[in-house]
C-alpha cells in the first residue's frame, strides 16, 4: 500500500491562489512564511483557495467581485488593495476592466455606504496610477459636472428649431468609438425605447438616441409634417454633433426617416438598419392613417390606444408582458397630440419606393413574422429595391420587434454591424 506525500487540497489551493493573485505575490507570501504563521497559510490555502475558489459554480471574475464587495463593506483595506491589484492585472479571461472595477465601487456606495465607497475609490485610484501603464489605462482629469449615467448618456437638446431631445452614450471602454450609431424610434414612443440596444452598442461605439419632433421632450410645432421634415431634423442633429457618417437604426417611423436620410443626406449615412417599416402604403392604408388623424384630433389619443397596442404587440406578448405594454401605452397617451398628428401625416404619406435604388449604403431590413402594421411584404419591397440590402424575418415578433424579441433583434443588428 502506497502513501501519497502530496496534500492535494493544498496543491489545488496553491494553484488557484497563483491564478487569482499572481505568481509574484504568492511566491513572496510563501517565502515570507514563518513557523508562526505557516499553519495559517496552510489553512487558508486549503479552505479559502481550494474549498471556495476551487468550486466551479461561479467563475473567478464573479468571485473577485464578491471579495471586493465584502472587503469594502468590512473596511479590510489591505485585503481590498491586494484583490484590486490582482483583478486589474489578471489574465484577460477573468480580469476586471477599470470600468468594471468602477461599477463594483459605485454599487458598494449604496449597499456598504458612501464613506466606504469613498475610501475604496481612493485606494483603487492609487493602484490604477501604478498599474495603468501596464494595462493600457490612463487616469485623465474629468469634471464631475460632465459625468453622465452610462446607461442613459449625456442628455441635451439641439440648438435649432424644433429642438430635439437626445442622448449621447460614449464608449464604455474609454477608447475612440469604433462607430457612431443613431437610434430612431417608432411613432408614439421616444428615445427610451432603445435603452437595451443602446447600452449594448455603447460598449465600444458612440450611440446617439433622440426623440422625433412632437415626441418625448422634443418640440412639437404646429402643422402636418412630412418625412422630409423628420429627416432634415435628424440631419441637423447629426451635423450639430459633427458625427460624420453613422450607422442608422430605425424602427417603424424611424426606419422611414432612415430611408429619407439616405436619400436626402447620403453623406451622413454609412449603413442602415430598417426595422418593421415601409416605403409606401397602398391607398386603403393611407386612408386608415387619415382616419387615425381625424380620430385623434376629435377624441384624443385614448381613443386609439388599445388599437395601437394590439398592432404594436401580438396577443401572447400582451398577456405575458402586460407591464411593458402598459408602459408603451402610457408613453403614447402622454405624447403631444399636435406632434403625434403631424408625424401620422408623415408616416401615412411616406413614399420612397421608387427612389430606394439610389441608396448606396449597406442595409439590413428586419421584419416581424406577425407584424400587421408593416407586414413582411412591405419589408420585402425595401430589401428588393435597395441594392445592398438583405432581409431578416424575426419569428414571433410583431411591430415593435426590438421589444418583443430583444435578444434576437440585438443579435441580428450586432452581426450586421460587425460585418460592415
Amino acid at each position: 500500500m502506497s502513501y501519497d506525500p502530496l496534500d492535494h487540497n493544498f496543491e489545488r489551493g496553491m494553484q488557484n491562489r497563483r491564478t487569482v493573485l499572481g505568481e509574484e505575490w504568492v511566491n513572496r507570501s510563501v517565502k515570507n512564511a514563518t513557523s508562526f504563521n505557516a499553519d495559517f497559510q496552510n489553512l487558508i490555502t486549503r479552505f479559502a483557495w481550494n474549498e471556495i475558489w476551487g468550486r466551479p459554480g461561479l467563475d473567478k471574475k464573479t468571485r473577485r467581485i464578491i471579495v471586493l464587495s465584502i472587503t469594502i463593506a468590512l473596511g479590510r483595506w489591505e485585503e481590498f488593495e491586494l484583490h484590486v491589484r490582482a483583478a486589474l492585472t489578471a489574465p484577460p479571461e477573468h480580469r476586471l476592466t477599470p470600468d468594471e472595477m468602477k461599477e463594483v465601487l459605485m454599487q458598494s456606495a449604496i449597499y456598504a455606504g458612501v464613506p466606504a465607497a469613498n475610501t475604496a475609490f481612493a485606494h483603487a485610484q492609487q493602484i490604477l496610477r501604478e498599474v495603468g501603464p501596464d494595462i493600457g489605462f490612463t487616469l485623465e482629469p474629468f469634471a464631475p459636472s460632465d459625468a453622465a449615467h452610462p446607461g442613459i448618456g449625456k442628455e441635451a437638446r439641439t440648438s435649432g428649431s424644433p429642438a430635439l431631445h437626445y442622448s449621447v452614450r460614449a464608449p464604455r471602454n474609454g477608447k475612440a468609438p469604433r462607430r457612431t450609431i443613431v437610434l430612431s424610434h417608432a411613432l408614439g414612443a421616444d428615445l427610451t425605447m432603445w435603452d437595451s440596444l443602446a447600452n449594448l452598442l455603447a460598449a465600444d461605439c458612440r450611440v446617439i438616441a433622440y426623440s422625433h419632433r412632437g415626441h418625448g421632450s422634443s418640440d412639437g410645432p404646429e402643422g402636418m409634417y412630412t418625412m422630409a421634415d423628420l429627416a432634415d431634423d435628424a440631419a441637423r442633429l447629426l451635423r450639430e454633433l459633427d458625427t460624420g457618417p453613422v450607422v442608422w437604426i430605425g424602427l417603424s417611423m424611424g426606419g422611414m426617416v432612415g430611408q429619407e436620410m439616405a436619400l436626402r443626406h447620403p453623406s451622413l449615412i454609412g449603413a442602415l438598419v430598417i426595422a418593421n417599416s415601409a416605403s409606401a402604403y397602398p391607398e386603403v392604408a393611407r386612408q386608415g392613417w387619415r382616419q387615425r388623424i381625424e380620430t385623434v384630433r376629435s377624441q384624443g389619443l385614448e381613443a386609439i390606444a388599445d388599437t395601437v397596442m394590439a398592432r404594436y404587440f401580438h396577443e401572447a406578448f400582451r398577456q405575458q408582458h402586460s407591464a411593458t405594454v402598459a408602459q408603451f401605452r402610457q408613453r403614447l397617451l402622454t405624447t403631444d397630440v399636435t406632434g403625434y398628428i403631424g408625424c401620422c401625416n408623415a408616416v401615412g404619406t411616406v413614399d420612397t419606393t421608387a427612389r430606394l435604388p439610389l441608396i448606396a449604403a449597406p442595409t439590413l431590413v428586419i421584419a416581424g413574422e406577425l407584424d400587421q402594421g408593416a407586414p413582411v411584404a412591405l419589408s420585402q419591397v425595401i430589401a428588393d429595391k435597395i441594392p445592398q440590402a438583405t432581409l431578416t424575418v424575426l419569428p414571433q415578433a410583431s411591430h415593435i420587434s426590438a421589444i418583443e424579441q430583444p435578444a434576437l433583434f440585438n443579435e441580428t443588428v450586432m452581426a450586421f454591424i460587425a460585418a460592415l
Side-chain angles (χ1 to χ4, degrees), residues 68-98:
L68 290 170
S69 300
I70 294 174
T71 53
I72 291 170
L74 295 177
R76 301 294 191 259
W77 300 118
E78 183 178 352
E79 192 80 1
F80 173 75
E81 287 189 356
L82 166 66
H83 283 275
V84 167
R85 191 182 304 275
L88 291 170
T89 58
E93 62 269 19
H94 52 88
R95 176 186 300 170
L96 265 67
T97 67

PDB file of all heavy atoms in Angstrom, residues 68-98:
ATOM      1  N   LEU A  68     -14.221  41.789  -3.473  1.00  0.00           N
ATOM      2  CA  LEU A  68     -14.073  43.243  -3.426  1.00  0.00           C
ATOM      3  C   LEU A  68     -15.226  43.875  -2.652  1.00  0.00           C
ATOM      4  O   LEU A  68     -15.017  44.773  -1.824  1.00  0.00           O
ATOM      5  CB  LEU A  68     -14.015  43.812  -4.844  1.00  0.00           C
ATOM      6  CG  LEU A  68     -12.744  43.506  -5.643  1.00  0.00           C
ATOM      7  CD1 LEU A  68     -12.928  43.904  -7.097  1.00  0.00           C
ATOM      8  CD2 LEU A  68     -11.541  44.226  -5.048  1.00  0.00           C
ATOM      9  N   SER A  69     -16.437  43.426  -2.909  1.00  0.00           N
ATOM     10  CA  SER A  69     -17.612  43.999  -2.247  1.00  0.00           C
ATOM     11  C   SER A  69     -17.553  43.781  -0.735  1.00  0.00           C
ATOM     12  O   SER A  69     -17.843  44.696   0.048  1.00  0.00           O
ATOM     13  CB  SER A  69     -18.893  43.368  -2.811  1.00  0.00           C
ATOM     14  OG  SER A  69     -19.002  43.597  -4.200  1.00  0.00           O
ATOM     15  N   ILE A  70     -17.189  42.558  -0.326  1.00  0.00           N
ATOM     16  CA  ILE A  70     -17.156  42.260   1.109  1.00  0.00           C
ATOM     17  C   ILE A  70     -16.032  43.013   1.807  1.00  0.00           C
ATOM     18  O   ILE A  70     -16.208  43.542   2.911  1.00  0.00           O
ATOM     19  CB  ILE A  70     -17.025  40.739   1.327  1.00  0.00           C
ATOM     20  CG1 ILE A  70     -18.290  40.033   0.838  1.00  0.00           C
ATOM     21  CG2 ILE A  70     -16.770  40.421   2.794  1.00  0.00           C
ATOM     22  CD1 ILE A  70     -18.213  38.518   0.866  1.00  0.00           C
ATOM     23  N   THR A  71     -14.885  43.099   1.182  1.00  0.00           N
ATOM     24  CA  THR A  71     -13.783  43.814   1.831  1.00  0.00           C
ATOM     25  C   THR A  71     -14.062  45.305   1.933  1.00  0.00           C
ATOM     26  O   THR A  71     -13.620  45.964   2.887  1.00  0.00           O
ATOM     27  CB  THR A  71     -12.446  43.569   1.097  1.00  0.00           C
ATOM     28  OG1 THR A  71     -12.601  43.880  -0.306  1.00  0.00           O
ATOM     29  CG2 THR A  71     -11.999  42.123   1.239  1.00  0.00           C
ATOM     30  N   ILE A  72     -14.799  45.863   0.976  1.00  0.00           N
ATOM     31  CA  ILE A  72     -15.223  47.267   1.097  1.00  0.00           C
ATOM     32  C   ILE A  72     -16.170  47.415   2.289  1.00  0.00           C
ATOM     33  O   ILE A  72     -16.020  48.309   3.124  1.00  0.00           O
ATOM     34  CB  ILE A  72     -15.909  47.745  -0.200  1.00  0.00           C
ATOM     35  CG1 ILE A  72     -14.901  47.839  -1.343  1.00  0.00           C
ATOM     36  CG2 ILE A  72     -16.583  49.116   0.019  1.00  0.00           C
ATOM     37  CD1 ILE A  72     -15.539  48.080  -2.697  1.00  0.00           C
ATOM     38  N   ALA A  73     -17.167  46.535   2.332  1.00  0.00           N
ATOM     39  CA  ALA A  73     -18.178  46.631   3.393  1.00  0.00           C
ATOM     40  C   ALA A  73     -17.553  46.494   4.776  1.00  0.00           C
ATOM     41  O   ALA A  73     -17.981  47.154   5.739  1.00  0.00           O
ATOM     42  CB  ALA A  73     -19.250  45.568   3.178  1.00  0.00           C
ATOM     43  N   LEU A  74     -16.539  45.640   4.893  1.00  0.00           N
ATOM     44  CA  LEU A  74     -15.901  45.403   6.194  1.00  0.00           C
ATOM     45  C   LEU A  74     -14.720  46.349   6.453  1.00  0.00           C
ATOM     46  O   LEU A  74     -14.155  46.337   7.546  1.00  0.00           O
ATOM     47  CB  LEU A  74     -15.420  43.948   6.274  1.00  0.00           C
ATOM     48  CG  LEU A  74     -16.521  42.876   6.258  1.00  0.00           C
ATOM     49  CD1 LEU A  74     -15.892  41.489   6.272  1.00  0.00           C
ATOM     50  CD2 LEU A  74     -17.470  43.049   7.423  1.00  0.00           C
ATOM     51  N   GLY A  75     -14.359  47.132   5.442  1.00  0.00           N
ATOM     52  CA  GLY A  75     -13.225  48.044   5.614  1.00  0.00           C
ATOM     53  C   GLY A  75     -11.900  47.333   5.737  1.00  0.00           C
ATOM     54  O   GLY A  75     -10.983  47.814   6.414  1.00  0.00           O
ATOM     55  N   ARG A  76     -11.752  46.187   5.080  1.00  0.00           N
ATOM     56  CA  ARG A  76     -10.499  45.428   5.125  1.00  0.00           C
ATOM     57  C   ARG A  76      -9.612  45.909   3.973  1.00  0.00           C
ATOM     58  O   ARG A  76      -9.509  45.258   2.925  1.00  0.00           O
ATOM     59  CB  ARG A  76     -10.771  43.929   5.018  1.00  0.00           C
ATOM     60  CG  ARG A  76     -11.669  43.382   6.119  1.00  0.00           C
ATOM     61  CD  ARG A  76     -10.981  43.473   7.484  1.00  0.00           C
ATOM     62  NE  ARG A  76     -11.703  42.733   8.510  1.00  0.00           N
ATOM     63  CZ  ARG A  76     -12.499  43.262   9.419  1.00  0.00           C
ATOM     64  NH1 ARG A  76     -12.688  44.577   9.431  1.00  0.00           N
ATOM     65  NH2 ARG A  76     -13.120  42.518  10.307  1.00  0.00           N
ATOM     66  N   TRP A  77      -8.990  47.079   4.164  1.00  0.00           N
ATOM     67  CA  TRP A  77      -8.371  47.771   3.042  1.00  0.00           C
ATOM     68  C   TRP A  77      -7.099  47.094   2.539  1.00  0.00           C
ATOM     69  O   TRP A  77      -6.792  47.158   1.350  1.00  0.00           O
ATOM     70  CB  TRP A  77      -8.120  49.225   3.408  1.00  0.00           C
ATOM     71  CG  TRP A  77      -9.401  49.912   3.753  1.00  0.00           C
ATOM     72  CD1 TRP A  77      -9.744  50.474   4.939  1.00  0.00           C
ATOM     73  CD2 TRP A  77     -10.541  50.060   2.893  1.00  0.00           C
ATOM     74  NE1 TRP A  77     -11.024  50.977   4.883  1.00  0.00           N
ATOM     75  CE2 TRP A  77     -11.542  50.733   3.638  1.00  0.00           C
ATOM     76  CE3 TRP A  77     -10.827  49.687   1.588  1.00  0.00           C
ATOM     77  CZ2 TRP A  77     -12.790  51.046   3.120  1.00  0.00           C
ATOM     78  CZ3 TRP A  77     -12.080  49.988   1.059  1.00  0.00           C
ATOM     79  CH2 TRP A  77     -13.041  50.650   1.814  1.00  0.00           C
ATOM     80  N   GLU A  78      -6.336  46.437   3.409  1.00  0.00           N
ATOM     81  CA  GLU A  78      -5.150  45.729   2.936  1.00  0.00           C
ATOM     82  C   GLU A  78      -5.554  44.592   1.990  1.00  0.00           C
ATOM     83  O   GLU A  78      -4.969  44.411   0.917  1.00  0.00           O
ATOM     84  CB  GLU A  78      -4.362  45.177   4.120  1.00  0.00           C
ATOM     85  CG  GLU A  78      -3.065  44.477   3.716  1.00  0.00           C
ATOM     86  CD  GLU A  78      -2.270  43.983   4.907  1.00  0.00           C
ATOM     87  OE1 GLU A  78      -2.636  44.310   6.051  1.00  0.00           O
ATOM     88  OE2 GLU A  78      -1.277  43.282   4.692  1.00  0.00           O
ATOM     89  N   GLU A  79      -6.588  43.842   2.395  1.00  0.00           N
ATOM     90  CA  GLU A  79      -7.078  42.755   1.542  1.00  0.00           C
ATOM     91  C   GLU A  79      -7.717  43.316   0.274  1.00  0.00           C
ATOM     92  O   GLU A  79      -7.569  42.769  -0.815  1.00  0.00           O
ATOM     93  CB  GLU A  79      -8.094  41.920   2.335  1.00  0.00           C
ATOM     94  CG  GLU A  79      -8.465  40.599   1.696  1.00  0.00           C
ATOM     95  CD  GLU A  79      -7.434  39.516   1.940  1.00  0.00           C
ATOM     96  OE1 GLU A  79      -6.432  39.783   2.636  1.00  0.00           O
ATOM     97  OE2 GLU A  79      -7.628  38.405   1.415  1.00  0.00           O
ATOM     98  N   PHE A  80      -8.425  44.431   0.413  1.00  0.00           N
ATOM     99  CA  PHE A  80      -9.055  45.078  -0.745  1.00  0.00           C
ATOM    100  C   PHE A  80      -8.005  45.467  -1.772  1.00  0.00           C
ATOM    101  O   PHE A  80      -8.155  45.182  -2.972  1.00  0.00           O
ATOM    102  CB  PHE A  80      -9.833  46.308  -0.279  1.00  0.00           C
ATOM    103  CG  PHE A  80     -10.379  47.157  -1.400  1.00  0.00           C
ATOM    104  CD1 PHE A  80     -11.484  46.756  -2.129  1.00  0.00           C
ATOM    105  CD2 PHE A  80      -9.763  48.369  -1.728  1.00  0.00           C
ATOM    106  CE1 PHE A  80     -11.982  47.542  -3.165  1.00  0.00           C
ATOM    107  CE2 PHE A  80     -10.256  49.162  -2.751  1.00  0.00           C
ATOM    108  CZ  PHE A  80     -11.371  48.749  -3.477  1.00  0.00           C
ATOM    109  N   GLU A  81      -6.930  46.113  -1.336  1.00  0.00           N
ATOM    110  CA  GLU A  81      -5.883  46.526  -2.266  1.00  0.00           C
ATOM    111  C   GLU A  81      -5.262  45.327  -2.983  1.00  0.00           C
ATOM    112  O   GLU A  81      -4.983  45.381  -4.186  1.00  0.00           O
ATOM    113  CB  GLU A  81      -4.796  47.309  -1.522  1.00  0.00           C
ATOM    114  CG  GLU A  81      -5.216  48.704  -1.121  1.00  0.00           C
ATOM    115  CD  GLU A  81      -4.036  49.504  -0.596  1.00  0.00           C
ATOM    116  OE1 GLU A  81      -2.929  48.931  -0.474  1.00  0.00           O
ATOM    117  OE2 GLU A  81      -4.212  50.704  -0.326  1.00  0.00           O
ATOM    118  N   LEU A  82      -5.050  44.258  -2.229  1.00  0.00           N
ATOM    119  CA  LEU A  82      -4.490  43.050  -2.825  1.00  0.00           C
ATOM    120  C   LEU A  82      -5.354  42.555  -3.968  1.00  0.00           C
ATOM    121  O   LEU A  82      -4.853  42.236  -5.059  1.00  0.00           O
ATOM    122  CB  LEU A  82      -4.355  41.964  -1.742  1.00  0.00           C
ATOM    123  CG  LEU A  82      -4.098  40.528  -2.225  1.00  0.00           C
ATOM    124  CD1 LEU A  82      -2.740  40.437  -2.893  1.00  0.00           C
ATOM    125  CD2 LEU A  82      -4.197  39.566  -1.040  1.00  0.00           C
ATOM    126  N   HIS A  83      -6.675  42.520  -3.749  1.00  0.00           N
ATOM    127  CA  HIS A  83      -7.572  41.983  -4.767  1.00  0.00           C
ATOM    128  C   HIS A  83      -7.850  42.977  -5.891  1.00  0.00           C
ATOM    129  O   HIS A  83      -8.121  42.572  -7.018  1.00  0.00           O
ATOM    130  CB  HIS A  83      -8.868  41.490  -4.114  1.00  0.00           C
ATOM    131  CG  HIS A  83      -8.709  40.168  -3.425  1.00  0.00           C
ATOM    132  ND1 HIS A  83      -8.829  38.958  -4.089  1.00  0.00           N
ATOM    133  CD2 HIS A  83      -8.394  39.872  -2.140  1.00  0.00           C
ATOM    134  CE1 HIS A  83      -8.623  37.964  -3.239  1.00  0.00           C
ATOM    135  NE2 HIS A  83      -8.347  38.493  -2.042  1.00  0.00           N
ATOM    136  N   VAL A  84      -7.773  44.255  -5.605  1.00  0.00           N
ATOM    137  CA  VAL A  84      -7.880  45.249  -6.688  1.00  0.00           C
ATOM    138  C   VAL A  84      -6.722  45.081  -7.659  1.00  0.00           C
ATOM    139  O   VAL A  84      -6.903  45.001  -8.884  1.00  0.00           O
ATOM    140  CB  VAL A  84      -7.891  46.687  -6.121  1.00  0.00           C
ATOM    141  CG1 VAL A  84      -7.676  47.709  -7.246  1.00  0.00           C
ATOM    142  CG2 VAL A  84      -9.220  46.973  -5.432  1.00  0.00           C
ATOM    143  N   ARG A  85      -5.523  45.040  -7.122  1.00  0.00           N
ATOM    144  CA  ARG A  85      -4.333  44.898  -7.970  1.00  0.00           C
ATOM    145  C   ARG A  85      -4.402  43.603  -8.768  1.00  0.00           C
ATOM    146  O   ARG A  85      -4.121  43.568  -9.969  1.00  0.00           O
ATOM    147  CB  ARG A  85      -3.078  44.936  -7.099  1.00  0.00           C
ATOM    148  CG  ARG A  85      -1.768  45.051  -7.879  1.00  0.00           C
ATOM    149  CD  ARG A  85      -0.586  45.043  -6.918  1.00  0.00           C
ATOM    150  NE  ARG A  85      -0.686  46.079  -5.916  1.00  0.00           N
ATOM    151  CZ  ARG A  85      -0.281  47.332  -6.108  1.00  0.00           C
ATOM    152  NH1 ARG A  85       0.248  47.673  -7.271  1.00  0.00           N
ATOM    153  NH2 ARG A  85      -0.399  48.229  -5.140  1.00  0.00           N
ATOM    154  N   ALA A  86      -4.791  42.518  -8.100  1.00  0.00           N
ATOM    155  CA  ALA A  86      -4.871  41.225  -8.788  1.00  0.00           C
ATOM    156  C   ALA A  86      -5.946  41.237  -9.870  1.00  0.00           C
ATOM    157  O   ALA A  86      -5.748  40.699 -10.966  1.00  0.00           O
ATOM    158  CB  ALA A  86      -5.162  40.120  -7.772  1.00  0.00           C
ATOM    159  N   ALA A  87      -7.081  41.859  -9.572  1.00  0.00           N
ATOM    160  CA  ALA A  87      -8.189  41.872 -10.535  1.00  0.00           C
ATOM    161  C   ALA A  87      -7.850  42.678 -11.780  1.00  0.00           C
ATOM    162  O   ALA A  87      -8.231  42.322 -12.896  1.00  0.00           O
ATOM    163  CB  ALA A  87      -9.435  42.444  -9.871  1.00  0.00           C
ATOM    164  N   LEU A  88      -7.120  43.781 -11.617  1.00  0.00           N
ATOM    165  CA  LEU A  88      -6.784  44.642 -12.754  1.00  0.00           C
ATOM    166  C   LEU A  88      -5.681  44.055 -13.629  1.00  0.00           C
ATOM    167  O   LEU A  88      -5.574  44.406 -14.812  1.00  0.00           O
ATOM    168  CB  LEU A  88      -6.352  46.016 -12.253  1.00  0.00           C
ATOM    169  CG  LEU A  88      -7.450  46.889 -11.627  1.00  0.00           C
ATOM    170  CD1 LEU A  88      -6.831  48.117 -10.967  1.00  0.00           C
ATOM    171  CD2 LEU A  88      -8.484  47.306 -12.676  1.00  0.00           C
ATOM    172  N   THR A  89      -4.856  43.187 -13.064  1.00  0.00           N
ATOM    173  CA  THR A  89      -3.699  42.671 -13.807  1.00  0.00           C
ATOM    174  C   THR A  89      -3.806  41.176 -14.097  1.00  0.00           C
ATOM    175  O   THR A  89      -2.846  40.569 -14.556  1.00  0.00           O
ATOM    176  CB  THR A  89      -2.405  42.940 -13.025  1.00  0.00           C
ATOM    177  OG1 THR A  89      -2.494  42.316 -11.736  1.00  0.00           O
ATOM    178  CG2 THR A  89      -2.181  44.434 -12.839  1.00  0.00           C
ATOM    179  N   ALA A  90      -4.968  40.593 -13.849  1.00  0.00           N
ATOM    180  CA  ALA A  90      -5.159  39.157 -14.054  1.00  0.00           C
ATOM    181  C   ALA A  90      -5.158  38.809 -15.542  1.00  0.00           C
ATOM    182  O   ALA A  90      -5.239  39.698 -16.401  1.00  0.00           O
ATOM    183  CB  ALA A  90      -6.483  38.719 -13.423  1.00  0.00           C
ATOM    184  N   PRO A  91      -5.066  37.539 -15.887  1.00  0.00           N
ATOM    185  CA  PRO A  91      -5.237  37.128 -17.279  1.00  0.00           C
ATOM    186  C   PRO A  91      -6.575  37.634 -17.821  1.00  0.00           C
ATOM    187  O   PRO A  91      -7.550  37.752 -17.058  1.00  0.00           O
ATOM    188  CB  PRO A  91      -5.215  35.597 -17.204  1.00  0.00           C
ATOM    189  CG  PRO A  91      -4.411  35.302 -15.979  1.00  0.00           C
ATOM    190  CD  PRO A  91      -4.750  36.399 -15.006  1.00  0.00           C
ATOM    191  N   PRO A  92      -6.669  37.944 -19.106  1.00  0.00           N
ATOM    192  CA  PRO A  92      -7.862  38.587 -19.667  1.00  0.00           C
ATOM    193  C   PRO A  92      -9.175  37.862 -19.388  1.00  0.00           C
ATOM    194  O   PRO A  92     -10.210  38.505 -19.221  1.00  0.00           O
ATOM    195  CB  PRO A  92      -7.560  38.618 -21.176  1.00  0.00           C
ATOM    196  CG  PRO A  92      -6.080  38.613 -21.252  1.00  0.00           C
ATOM    197  CD  PRO A  92      -5.601  37.778 -20.108  1.00  0.00           C
ATOM    198  N   GLU A  93      -9.137  36.530 -19.300  1.00  0.00           N
ATOM    199  CA  GLU A  93     -10.398  35.799 -19.148  1.00  0.00           C
ATOM    200  C   GLU A  93     -11.086  36.039 -17.815  1.00  0.00           C
ATOM    201  O   GLU A  93     -12.293  35.828 -17.687  1.00  0.00           O
ATOM    202  CB  GLU A  93     -10.181  34.295 -19.365  1.00  0.00           C
ATOM    203  CG  GLU A  93      -9.236  33.635 -18.368  1.00  0.00           C
ATOM    204  CD  GLU A  93      -7.796  33.635 -18.834  1.00  0.00           C
ATOM    205  OE1 GLU A  93      -7.459  34.446 -19.729  1.00  0.00           O
ATOM    206  OE2 GLU A  93      -7.019  32.806 -18.325  1.00  0.00           O
ATOM    207  N   HIS A  94     -10.347  36.477 -16.791  1.00  0.00           N
ATOM    208  CA  HIS A  94     -11.022  36.806 -15.538  1.00  0.00           C
ATOM    209  C   HIS A  94     -10.503  38.105 -14.930  1.00  0.00           C
ATOM    210  O   HIS A  94     -10.491  38.294 -13.726  1.00  0.00           O
ATOM    211  CB  HIS A  94     -10.964  35.651 -14.531  1.00  0.00           C
ATOM    212  CG  HIS A  94      -9.605  35.090 -14.261  1.00  0.00           C
ATOM    213  ND1 HIS A  94      -8.778  35.592 -13.297  1.00  0.00           N
ATOM    214  CD2 HIS A  94      -8.944  34.046 -14.833  1.00  0.00           C
ATOM    215  CE1 HIS A  94      -7.648  34.888 -13.264  1.00  0.00           C
ATOM    216  NE2 HIS A  94      -7.728  33.946 -14.195  1.00  0.00           N
ATOM    217  N   ARG A  95     -10.087  39.003 -15.799  1.00  0.00           N
ATOM    218  CA  ARG A  95      -9.651  40.333 -15.373  1.00  0.00           C
ATOM    219  C   ARG A  95     -10.853  41.263 -15.273  1.00  0.00           C
ATOM    220  O   ARG A  95     -11.816  41.148 -16.035  1.00  0.00           O
ATOM    221  CB  ARG A  95      -8.652  40.884 -16.385  1.00  0.00           C
ATOM    222  CG  ARG A  95      -8.182  42.315 -16.111  1.00  0.00           C
ATOM    223  CD  ARG A  95      -7.308  42.813 -17.239  1.00  0.00           C
ATOM    224  NE  ARG A  95      -6.125  41.971 -17.418  1.00  0.00           N
ATOM    225  CZ  ARG A  95      -5.298  42.064 -18.447  1.00  0.00           C
ATOM    226  NH1 ARG A  95      -5.533  42.952 -19.408  1.00  0.00           N
ATOM    227  NH2 ARG A  95      -4.247  41.264 -18.532  1.00  0.00           N
ATOM    228  N   LEU A  96     -10.819  42.191 -14.341  1.00  0.00           N
ATOM    229  CA  LEU A  96     -11.787  43.272 -14.299  1.00  0.00           C
ATOM    230  C   LEU A  96     -11.197  44.490 -14.987  1.00  0.00           C
ATOM    231  O   LEU A  96     -10.056  44.882 -14.715  1.00  0.00           O
ATOM    232  CB  LEU A  96     -12.155  43.640 -12.847  1.00  0.00           C
ATOM    233  CG  LEU A  96     -13.403  42.983 -12.261  1.00  0.00           C
ATOM    234  CD1 LEU A  96     -13.192  41.482 -12.109  1.00  0.00           C
ATOM    235  CD2 LEU A  96     -13.770  43.624 -10.932  1.00  0.00           C
ATOM    236  N   THR A  97     -11.935  45.079 -15.904  1.00  0.00           N
ATOM    237  CA  THR A  97     -11.503  46.326 -16.520  1.00  0.00           C
ATOM    238  C   THR A  97     -11.671  47.462 -15.515  1.00  0.00           C
ATOM    239  O   THR A  97     -12.425  47.337 -14.537  1.00  0.00           O
ATOM    240  CB  THR A  97     -12.333  46.637 -17.764  1.00  0.00           C
ATOM    241  OG1 THR A  97     -13.686  46.907 -17.358  1.00  0.00           O
ATOM    242  CG2 THR A  97     -12.316  45.472 -18.750  1.00  0.00           C
ATOM    243  N   PRO A  98     -10.985  48.585 -15.723  1.00  0.00           N
ATOM    244  CA  PRO A  98     -11.211  49.727 -14.833  1.00  0.00           C
ATOM    245  C   PRO A  98     -12.673  50.136 -14.760  1.00  0.00           C
ATOM    246  O   PRO A  98     -13.160  50.526 -13.697  1.00  0.00           O
ATOM    247  CB  PRO A  98     -10.334  50.829 -15.455  1.00  0.00           C
ATOM    248  CG  PRO A  98      -9.207  50.069 -16.095  1.00  0.00           C
ATOM    249  CD  PRO A  98      -9.860  48.822 -16.649  1.00  0.00           C
TER     250      PRO A  98
END
